[in-house]
């Protein structure tokens, strides 16, 4: 009489380290390595759908509050004979309008926006940032040389046009770039900066410039496109 | 089964032949029925039945795409309402603004909602793009979806810009005058494009009508078309891509 | 099915492939023609044939009204009529930068654009600012009595003053 086999327990787990599911053949000359932990999956309904509904509700509530508290602007009827002073485009074009103050229209209105769109489209195809190699991970001397000259060149170019709202962010981003060019160890922020890649530096520069230009155009430009404080923007006639 | 009348009415509706013909799945109380909620619904079918749990984390996407699309739904709804009271002609367009303000019930509220919703949609789309860039979510296989996203951003900006003219107030008129004069500076193609866009040499009634048609028909249709491709490809490319993961560990200590 | 029938009735000859290619090309060509025709007619359709824009020609008073140093801003027609040295000339008031309407500031003796801060002197030359070109001089004509007609659509060379 043989003893009956004990009943098998089926164990379920998502943790492959604790509960490996697949048995692999490990050759004696290789070590068993774990490529990727198995991911947890959840049902889209209700987990994702409900969250989306919540986002929608929050947006509707926030917009309703804004609509109750702030009125959309409405000025006098359009008059082709009378240009209001100052006359401004919607906020997302004010950076462009600010550029028009410094550059000829064909440069500010056509070349710059065109370059931005082309650069955006090219990003995924030019293999930008695929390897995510930090800027300062290679030959530091060479990186210092070309990135330094790029920053100086850009600054001089914009300074020729007296476009200080671009020169200053350029120099700031350049300073941040070079602050981690050395080998020294530092706090969390320094370690974070050391990991930043070149495309990320460029994008950060672009966002900073766009933000500065938009803020100046929105809040600091008064009659005759002169620099004013926000509270003096519309002087009483 | 229940004392209150409402669940009974709910049950009666759910068991009726009409409801069963429209909604083909039972209550979402089992995983099978939860998957059917997605499978059997045209709109939810944009989603897979299951998603990775980590993609639901707030810092994975900051829900910026969802915010943008939510703003878009608000804009479509309020935009249709505003169309009931709007004539794209001079000077009636401006009078309609006054009518919305002083005569129409809740007219101010829905106009405000449309205006602030437009700002939120542009802002949401911009932030969404920035988020995708820093998360490197444009990497293969998502290259083309990034390009579709750039197109969507441009269409969003155009929608907002064409809408800017419609109130026909000073702000609208001069904002659009300055903007279209920029196009004039583009070599060769600039002036004819501007002439066709405005239907004339200056911002006039023709321009108002053209911008109205672009704003209410052409651009929304383009937006919804590209948006369909965008969301469908998110699903095909394996769901939303969050922050880049550290490379798979070469060696894991057990 | 049909292909099979055809094949049965007539064994595939050496010309079959080229015939199919030809037919496919005819089909594609028809599609291309249709698209090109549609694009052209739509483009033509979109071009307005009648413009309801203010007339470019207007009366600007008598030449006697413009002694040297007068600058009159004709708001309706977006032009300056200016009494200059030994005659009269007219300037377009539309800023050459982005088409805003400029204003004459008598106290400064300068023409300024409110939009992006361009400034011009009374001859239309750019003093400073983003404007790429001087304000264009436009045609002024006088009849026998000295009544002036200005045409904003006709640009004349800089410095061509209408002699009194």
């Amino acid at each position: 009489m043989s003893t009956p086999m004990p009943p098998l327990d089926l164990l379920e787990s998502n943790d492959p380290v604790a509960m490996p599911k697949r048995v692999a053949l490990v050759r004696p000359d290789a070590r068993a390595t774990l490529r990727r932990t198995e991911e947890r999956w959840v049902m889209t309904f209700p987990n994702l759908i409900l969250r989306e509904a919540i986002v929608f509700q929050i947006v509707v509530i926030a917009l309703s509050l804004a609509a109750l508290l702030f009125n959309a602007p409405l000025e006098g009827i359009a008059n082709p004979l009378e240009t209001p002073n100052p006359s401004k485009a919607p906020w997302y074009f004010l950076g462009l309008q600010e550029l028009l103050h410094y550059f000829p229209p064909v440069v500010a209105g056509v070349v710059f926006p065109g370059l931005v769109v082309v650069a955006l489209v090219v990003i995924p195809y030019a293999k930008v940032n695929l390897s995510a190699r930090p800027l300062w991970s290679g030959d530091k001397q060479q990186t210092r040389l070309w990135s330094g000259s790029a920053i100086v060149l850009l600054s001089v170019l914009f300074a020729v046009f007296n476009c200080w709202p671009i020169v200053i962010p350029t120099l700031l981003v350049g300073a941040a770039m070079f602050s981690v060019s050395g080998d020294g160890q530092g706090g969390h922020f320094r370690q974070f900066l050391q990991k930043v890649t070149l495309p990320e530096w460029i994008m950060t520069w672009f966002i900073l410039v766009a933000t500065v230009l938009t803020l100046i155009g929105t809040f600091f430009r008064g009659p005759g496109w002169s620099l004013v404080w926000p509270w003096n923007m519309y002087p009483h006639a | 089964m229940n004392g209150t009348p409402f669940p009974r009415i709910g049950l009666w509706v759910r068991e009726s032949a009409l409801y069963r013909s429209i909604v083909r799945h039972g209550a979402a109380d089992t995983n099978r029925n939860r998957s059917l909620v997605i499978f059997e619904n045209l709109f939810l079918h944009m989603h897979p039945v299951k998603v990775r749990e980590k993609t639901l984390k707030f810092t994975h996407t900051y829900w910026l795409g969802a915010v943008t699309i939510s703003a878009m739904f608000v804009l479509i709804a309020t935009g249709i309402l505003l169309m009931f009271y709007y004539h794209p002609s001079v000077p009636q367009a401006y009078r309609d603004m006054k009518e919305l303000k002083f005569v129409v019930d809740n007219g101010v509220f829905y106009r405000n909602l449309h205006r602030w919703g437009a700002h939120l949609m542009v802002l949401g789309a911009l932030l969404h793009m920035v988020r995708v860039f820093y998360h490197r979510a444009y990497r293969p296989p998502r290259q083309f979806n990034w390009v579709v996203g750039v197109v969507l951003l441009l269409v969003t900006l155009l929608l907002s810009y064409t809408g800017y003219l419609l109130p026909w107030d000073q702000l609208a008129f001069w904002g659009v005058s300055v903007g279209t004069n920029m196009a004039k500076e583009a070599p060769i193609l600039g002036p004819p494009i501007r002439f066709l866009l405005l239907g004339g040499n200056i911002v006039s009634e023709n321009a108002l009508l053209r911008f109205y048609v672009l704003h209410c028909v052409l651009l929304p249709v383009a937006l919804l078309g590209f948006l369909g491709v965008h969301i469908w490809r998110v699903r095909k490319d394996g769901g939303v891509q969050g922050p880049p993961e550290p490379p798979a560990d070469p060696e894991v200590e057990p | 099915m049909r292909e099979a029938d055809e094949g049965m009735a007539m064994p595939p000859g050496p010309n079959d492939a080229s015939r199919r290619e030809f037919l496919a090309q005819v089909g594609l060509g028809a599609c291309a023609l249709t698209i090109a025709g549609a694009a052209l007619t739509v483009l033509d359709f979109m071009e307005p044939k009648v413009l309801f824009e203010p007339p470019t020609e207007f009366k600007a008073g008598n030449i006697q009204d413009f002694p040297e140093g007068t600058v009159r801003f004709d708001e309706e027609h977006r032009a300056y009529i200016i009494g200059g040295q030994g005659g009269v000339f007219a300037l377009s008031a539309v800023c050459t930068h982005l088409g805003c309407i400029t204003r004459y500031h008598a106290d400064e003796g300068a023409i300024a654009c409110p939009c992006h801060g361009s400034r011009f002197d009374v001859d239309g030359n750019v003093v400073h600012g983003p404007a790429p070109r001087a304000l264009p001089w436009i045609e002024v004509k006088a009849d026998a009595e000295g009544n002036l007609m200005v045409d904003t659509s006709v640009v004349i060379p800089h410095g061509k003053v209408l002699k009194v």
Side-chain angles (χ1 to χ4, degrees):
Chain A
M1 278 297 257
S2 59
T3 51
M5 207 173 131
L8 289 171
D9 278 333
L10 202 63
L11 297 173
E12 269 297 326
S13 166
N14 274 314
D15 187 356
V17 178
M19 189 75 51
K21 274 186 187 162
R22 200 180 296 159
V23 179
L25 183 68
V26 180
R27 293 201 310 270
D29 57 333
R31 287 178 63 188
T33 60
L34 180 66
R35 276 282 170 221
R36 192 175 287 263
T37 55
E38 190 171 301
E39 305 200 70
R40 277 171 180 278
W41 292 74
V42 291
M43 296 301 294
T44 301
F45 184 88
N47 295 294
L48 176 59
I49 303 292
L50 283 194
R51 280 175 173 84
E52 286 175 344
I54 291 169
V55 169
F56 179 69
Q57 286 168 346
I58 290 172
V59 165
V60 169
I61 291 169
L63 281 178
S64 300
L65 283 179
L68 288 172
L69 292 175
F70 307 102
N71 275 337
L74 184 69
E75 293 184 3
I77 189 166
N79 181 2
L81 309 174
E82 174 81 40
T83 307
N85 194 357
S87 114
K88 293 186 176 184
W91 64 267
Y92 38 84
F93 286 138
L94 279 183
L96 213 57
Q97 196 173 354
E98 179 68 19
L99 279 181
L100 282 164
H101 183 70
Y102 299 100
F103 299 96
V106 71
V107 177
V110 181
V111 175
F112 282 169
L115 279 179
V116 169
V117 171
V118 168
L120 284 179
V121 170
V122 157
I123 284 174
Y125 295 102
K127 301 203 162 55
V128 166
N129 217 7
L130 273 192
S131 54
R133 195 175 64 79
L135 176 66
W136 297 108
S137 60
D139 180 351
K140 289 197 176 182
Q141 194 53 42
Q142 213 175 359
T143 312
R144 265 193 209 104
L145 192 70
W146 63 255
S147 61
S149 41
I151 290 164
V152 169
L153 199 71
L154 273 176
S155 303
V156 168
L157 188 72
F158 286 114
V160 165
F161 285 93
N162 285 318
C163 192
W164 304 110
I166 296 184
V167 174
I168 292 167
T170 308
L171 292 176
L172 279 178
V173 170
M177 248 166 84
F178 272 82
S179 72
V180 289
S181 66
D183 289 318
Q185 287 294 311
H188 283 294
F189 186 61
R190 197 179 155 80
Q191 280 174 12
F192 167 76
L193 281 186
Q194 277 169 339
K195 285 203 199 98
V196 178
T197 62
L198 178 64
E200 286 168 352
W201 281 118
I202 295 174
M203 185 58 127
T204 309
W205 169 78
F206 171 73
I207 292 170
L208 192 65
V209 166
T211 312
V212 166
L213 288 177
T214 307
L215 286 178
I216 292 178
T218 311
F219 295 114
F220 299 99
R221 287 297 185 180
W225 213 247
S226 56
L227 280 174
V228 293
W229 293 108
W231 47 89
N232 292 336
M233 183 154 311
Y234 295 99
H236 296 285
Chain B
M1 192 164 84
N2 280 298
T4 50
F6 293 109
R8 241 183 292 155
I9 293 174
L11 204 66
W12 178 77
V13 169
R14 275 167 171 268
E15 282 174 355
S16 70
L18 179 68
Y19 181 88
R20 304 278 306 164
S21 74
I22 300 169
V23 180
R24 295 172 176 175
H25 53 77
D29 48 4
T30 62
N31 274 1
R32 181 179 175 274
N33 278 352
R34 282 174 189 154
S35 63
L36 286 178
V37 170
I38 305 296
F39 267 136
E40 301 282 329
N41 183 310
L42 173 66
F43 304 104
L44 299 183
H45 203 65
M46 283 287 187
H47 289 307
V49 168
K50 280 183 165 190
V51 290
R52 288 187 179 83
E53 192 182 37
K54 65 172 187 203
T55 61
L56 297 176
K57 256 175 63 182
F58 178 72
T59 50
H60 200 77
T61 59
Y62 302 95
W63 296 98
L64 286 166
V67 165
T68 312
I69 291 180
S70 300
M72 186 198 75
F73 282 132
V74 171
L75 285 169
I76 292 175
T78 54
I80 289 173
L81 286 178
L82 293 175
M83 277 173 82
F84 281 113
Y85 277 102
Y86 182 79
H87 306 75
S89 63
V90 179
Q92 188 58 41
Y94 184 71
R95 289 194 193 139
D96 290 336
M97 293 301 117
K98 290 289 184 194
E99 194 180 315
L100 280 173
K101 193 169 177 183
F102 295 114
V103 183
V104 180
D105 283 346
N106 308 322
V108 177
F109 176 70
Y110 282 119
R111 191 170 104 81
N112 289 350
L113 208 53
H114 198 72
R115 172 64 71 114
W116 303 136
H119 286 320
L120 181 68
M121 188 172 161
V122 172
L123 191 67
L126 286 172
L127 291 178
H128 174 64
M129 196 191 78
V130 169
R131 192 285 292 176
V132 168
F133 179 84
Y134 283 115
H135 281 176
R136 273 182 269 142
Y138 53 80
R139 284 176 299 174
R142 294 181 172 80
Q143 308 103 309
F144 185 66
N145 216 12
W146 166 272
V147 177
V148 174
V150 172
V151 172
L152 280 171
L153 179 71
L154 294 179
V155 173
T156 305
L157 286 177
L158 280 176
L159 267 166
S160 182
Y161 191 63
T162 49
Y164 201 69
L165 181 66
L166 300 187
W168 199 250
D169 64 343
Q170 279 286 70
L171 208 62
F173 183 89
W174 287 101
V176 171
S177 291
V178 167
T180 50
N181 271 310
M182 276 188 230
K184 203 158 69 174
E185 298 296 333
I188 306 164
L189 276 182
I193 285 179
R194 178 176 184 273
F195 184 75
L196 281 184
L197 192 66
L198 294 182
N201 297 308
I202 53 172
V203 179
S204 65
E205 196 161 0
N206 283 358
L208 180 62
L209 186 57
R210 285 179 183 215
F211 273 48
Y212 175 73
V213 174
L214 287 174
H215 186 75
C216 299
V217 183
L218 209 58
L219 292 171
V221 168
L223 186 83
L224 288 176
F226 280 109
L227 189 61
V229 175
H230 197 62
I231 294 175
W232 177 74
R233 282 190 90 113
V234 168
R235 178 187 170 172
K236 285 286 157 187
D237 293 341
V240 286
Q241 167 74 58
E245 292 148 31
D249 280 345
E251 288 172 352
V252 175
E253 299 300 321
Chain C
M1 280 300 277
R2 272 195 53 149
E3 271 189 344
D5 287 348
E6 272 175 26
M8 215 92 82
M10 198 168 57
N15 287 334
D16 256 22
S18 64
R19 192 189 64 188
R20 255 185 218 157
E21 249 169 51
F22 172 74
L23 287 177
Q25 277 171 4
V26 167
L28 277 178
C31 289
L33 265 180
T34 312
I35 291 170
L40 282 177
T41 48
V42 165
L43 208 65
D44 197 29
F45 176 87
M46 292 300 290
E47 193 182 345
K49 296 296 174 291
V50 182
L51 294 179
F52 300 95
E53 290 173 3
T56 56
E57 244 185 317
F58 63 97
K59 288 183 183 141
N62 196 280
I63 199 160
Q64 304 300 328
D65 305 339
F66 296 97
E68 193 176 332
T70 13
V71 177
R72 206 177 80 193
F73 175 45
D74 190 315
E75 198 178 56
E76 193 188 339
H77 300 98
R78 307 166 162 207
Y80 299 103
I81 300 106
I82 299 167
Q85 249 180 341
V88 174
F89 63 96
L91 280 181
S92 164
V94 181
C95 183
T96 51
H97 183 226
L98 286 176
C100 294
I101 308 298
T102 56
R103 288 275 151 171
Y104 175 64
H105 297 271
D107 46 338
E108 300 159 55
I111 294 169
C113 174
C115 287
H116 307 100
S118 298
R119 290 176 81 83
F120 308 86
D121 63 16
V122 283
D123 287 334
N125 300 313
V126 183
V127 178
H128 74 80
R133 291 177 298 275
L135 292 175
W137 285 40
I138 51 183
E139 189 184 58
V140 191
K141 282 188 288 196
D143 63 9
E145 282 92 53
N147 294 317
L148 300 176
M149 279 297 276
V150 179
D151 191 342
T152 54
S153 65
V154 182
V155 175
I156 59 169
H158 236 246
K160 203 178 154 201
V161 177
L162 179 74
K163 297 277 186 266
V164 180

